[in-house]
Amino acid sequence: MLAEIALYILDIARNSLDAGSTRVEISLTVTDNARVSFRIIDNGCGMDEDTLAHALVPGFSLSGISGRGYGLPTLKKAALDAFGSFSLRSFPGHGTCVEVSFCMDCALSPVLGDVEETVRLLVITNPGVDFLYTRNQNGRTASMDTASFREILGELYKPMQPEILTYIQDYLCQMRLSLLS
């Protein structure tokens, strides 16, 4: 099992990218009552009923790459072991939604990890994909939408350029800090 929720988010987001998504929405909620949940919604190819039925079978993968197909079943087990929940919905041609929660008081719950760094890595390594990241914490919400960066900067939007990379990193850091104060 993965030891960090941030790594589960990375794994599910990679599935979204493998499904041809051009937009991935990642929502993280940290509550005062020791619950952490996340939701990832994409506009990828989605899954038909047969694929959806097999998606939670360990080792099932349409990628043909050895060692794939363990992310969703492992995530579901980790969530349920930590007295949380797991939901998977998908529709062909419309994308997929994964929703997960963990009880952080449970000894079996993974640690949160650095979700903002995970989002930053997703953004800079997938410049053609729009990411909406929303973090809810302490009753406050902050978000970052790379579509707005793309709209403002046009062709200048290149996440690997040092200035843009620094801006994204600073934006995510300020976003997290604004929720803690």
Side-chain angles (χ1 to χ4, degrees):
M1 280 201 233
L2 297 174
E4 295 182 12
I5 292 171
L7 295 177
Y8 283 115
I9 290 172
L10 177 63
D11 184 62
I12 301 306
R14 284 183 54 218
N15 289 349
S16 296
L17 298 168
D18 289 346
S21 298
T22 58
R23 182 161 179 85
V24 179
E25 299 178 10
I26 301 168
S27 176
L28 175 72
T29 300
V30 180
T31 66
D32 290 337
N33 64 351
R35 291 200 74 78
V36 170
S37 62
F38 70 85
R39 179 179 65 228
I40 299 178
I41 301 172
D42 68 49
N43 67 349
C45 64
M47 293 181 267
D48 60 31
E49 287 183 32
D50 185 53
T51 304
L52 191 57
H54 289 90
L56 296 173
V57 174
F60 175 79
S61 174
L62 297 174
S63 72
I65 300 171
S66 179
R68 299 287 306 264
Y70 293 93
L72 286 171
T74 302
L75 174 57
K76 180 179 180 182
K77 180 177 180 354
L80 298 180
D81 285 352
F83 303 104
S85 62
F86 177 90
S87 169
L88 173 64
R89 296 183 311 279
S90 189
F91 302 95
H94 296 282
T96 300
C97 176
V98 177
E99 294 182 85
V100 185
S101 72
F102 297 90
C103 176
M104 299 307 284
D105 286 341
C106 177
L108 296 175
S109 183
V111 298
L112 181 58
D114 193 341
V115 177
E116 284 72 23
E117 177 63 11
T118 296
V119 170
R120 185 185 75 82
L121 289 171
L122 286 165
V123 169
I124 66 172
T125 57
N126 299 281
V129 177
D130 286 323
F131 290 90
L132 169 61
Y133 171 56
T134 304
R135 183 170 178 145
N136 305 288
Q137 188 165 341
N138 301 326
R140 300 168 80 183
T141 301
S143 64
M144 178 191 78
D145 191 346
T146 61
S148 64
F149 297 164
R150 188 182 314 282
E151 185 177 315
I152 293 167
L153 296 173
E155 291 185 21
L156 297 176
Y157 177 73
K158 295 179 178 110
M160 288 299 287
Q161 281 187 326
E163 300 85 5
I164 305 295
L165 181 62
T166 300
Y167 179 78
I168 290 169
Q169 185 170 348
D170 290 348
Y171 191 99
L172 287 165
C173 181
Q174 289 302 315
M175 189 177 126
R176 181 179 3 190
L177 289 174
S178 74
L179 296 173
L180 298 176
S181 57

